[in-house]
Amino acid sequence: FLICLFMVLVNGDVYTWGDRDTNGLGHADITGYVHLPKLNKTLSGKGVVQLSHARGNEAAVTGMDSF
């Protein structure tokens, strides 16, 4: 049973937390479970307006011309 959570703040920062064992969440420097929201440096500042996660796959929708 895996749980991955994402949060997008109004300033564009993206935070993720949950089960890192499946190489999700965008935190290459962490293994195991991330208990507190951690800034996702890859997605932050990219204008993310929506995030989706299903079965180990993530997708980010931006308000700009980048993915």
Side-chain angles (χ1 to χ4, degrees):
F1 182 60
L2 303 175
I3 297 174
C4 297
L5 302 166
F6 300 85
M7 174 174 52
V8 180
L9 302 183
V10 294
N11 68 357
D13 285 349
V14 176
Y15 286 82
T16 59
W17 67 102
D19 194 337
R20 168 69 180 82
D21 287 341
T22 59
N23 294 327
L25 305 179
H27 303 301
D29 59 334
I30 296 175
T31 58
Y33 197 89
V34 179
H35 293 277
L36 297 173
K38 180 176 168 74
L39 181 67
N40 184 305
K41 296 175 185 174
T42 303
L43 294 174
S44 290
K46 303 287 187 195
V48 173
V49 295
Q50 185 175 359
L51 288 167
S52 179
H53 173 82
R55 296 184 184 191
N57 297 296
E58 293 88 16
V61 176
T62 67
M64 299 188 283
D65 294 331
S66 63
F67 293 95

